[in-house]
Amino acid sequence: YEESKRLLYEEIDYLNEMKNCDRFRENFNRPKFSHIKVPMTFPEFTTEKVMAMEFCPGIKITDKERIEAEGLDPVEISRKSAESFLEQLCRHGFFHSDPHPGNVAVEKGPNGEARI
């Protein structure tokens, strides 16, 4: 109970969440992972109760029809997604623990390939 309580309060502290977002972005700030887009945060507008971050429009990762209509390959997206989670778990020991379709989107990157 005490551990869950502590973690819950850490998660709803948006200054802490902003640090986590920045850490996650830094973990993927390498050419190998240029297909991973992590929103920028705005510390000047972030408080314990409000987190300001970049809006990153995209297609829900579960919307296969729209993904294909954009000319993107769902198999490639699946591979990139799996590789990113393995990277998080095996190399960083720090992972996105809420990867539902509202939090994970797909877009066509500058090179025409899928970006998550």
Side-chain angles (χ1 to χ4, degrees), residues 45-86:
F45 302 114
T46 299
T47 69
E48 287 182 355
K49 304 275 186 222
V50 175
M51 186 162 107
M53 59 195 304
E54 173 186 14
F55 175 66
C56 296
I59 304 165
K60 284 186 178 186
I61 198 162
T62 55
D63 192 342
K64 186 178 175 188
E65 284 182 18
R66 281 194 58 210
I67 288 170
E68 289 175 335
E70 281 291 315
L72 301 173
D73 180 3
V75 173
E76 176 197 11
I77 293 166
S78 298
R79 182 188 54 75
K80 287 178 174 181
S81 182
E83 285 175 357
S84 76
F85 279 101
L86 287 170

Side-chain angles (χ1 to χ4, degrees), residues 67-115:
I67 288 170
E68 289 175 335
E70 281 291 315
L72 301 173
D73 180 3
V75 173
E76 176 197 11
I77 293 166
S78 298
R79 182 188 54 75
K80 287 178 174 181
S81 182
E83 285 175 357
S84 76
F85 279 101
L86 287 170
E87 181 78 9
Q88 292 168 56
L89 292 169
C90 298
R91 294 203 195 277
H92 306 154
F94 182 81
F95 57 93
H96 190 312
S97 62
D98 195 17
H100 62 78
N103 283 341
V104 181
V106 178
E107 67 176 352
K108 189 176 281 193
N111 62 0
E113 293 184 9
R115 186 160 70 168

